[in-house]
Amino acid sequence: MELEKLVMQHDDKLKQHDKELDQMRKNMDESLTRVDESNRFLREQNTRQSEQNTEILQAILNRNHQADIRDYEMKMLDKQNLWKAIFGIGSTVGLIVAAAIKLFF
């Protein structure tokens, strides 16, 4: 009789341990599911942030390229205007000298 009680108590303890283990497994599964969802969310956020960073970088590169083109065009325009000014001044001086020569000689 005493041995039966001990076996029953032992069996009850084993059942209790099994219940506790099952509960721990459920908790672990729930925790891992939440971690997986969180990781998935973070990966998606990281992907979106990476795409935004790529778009920003492309916009900056395009803007820099356009700025370089504008700088080159402005330099060329400055050089053209310089030559136009030189020829204009030269022509004006030539006309003044020609008029002066005609008037005085």
Side-chain angles (χ1 to χ4, degrees), residues 44-92:
E44 289 172 3
Q45 263 191 333
N46 189 21
T47 300
R48 283 193 299 268
Q49 185 65 44
S50 179
E51 289 169 356
Q52 287 177 345
N53 289 345
T54 301
E55 290 173 6
I56 291 169
L57 178 62
Q58 287 300 321
I60 290 170
L61 292 175
N62 286 339
R63 184 172 178 175
N64 286 346
H65 180 67
Q66 290 172 352
D68 290 343
I69 290 172
R70 277 194 307 274
D71 286 345
Y72 175 76
E73 289 173 351
M74 292 304 289
K75 286 178 185 176
M76 294 306 293
L77 188 62
D78 285 345
K79 287 180 182 178
Q80 289 174 354
N81 288 340
L82 176 66
W83 285 109
K84 287 177 184 177
I86 289 171
F87 287 131
I89 292 170
S91 298
T92 305

Side-chain angles (χ1 to χ4, degrees), residues 11-66:
D11 190 41
D12 289 342
K13 285 182 182 180
L14 284 175
K15 287 179 183 179
Q16 182 63 30
H17 286 301
D18 285 343
K19 286 180 184 178
E20 290 174 4
L21 283 174
D22 284 341
Q23 185 62 36
M24 290 172 76
R25 277 190 200 109
K26 286 179 185 177
N27 289 340
M28 283 287 272
D29 287 344
E30 289 172 2
S31 295
L32 290 175
T33 300
R34 283 193 303 271
V35 167
D36 285 344
E37 289 173 2
S38 176
N39 283 343
R40 185 173 29 259
F41 174 75
L42 291 173
R43 276 193 304 272
E44 289 172 3
Q45 263 191 333
N46 189 21
T47 300
R48 283 193 299 268
Q49 185 65 44
S50 179
E51 289 169 356
Q52 287 177 345
N53 289 345
T54 301
E55 290 173 6
I56 291 169
L57 178 62
Q58 287 300 321
I60 290 170
L61 292 175
N62 286 339
R63 184 172 178 175
N64 286 346
H65 180 67
Q66 290 172 352

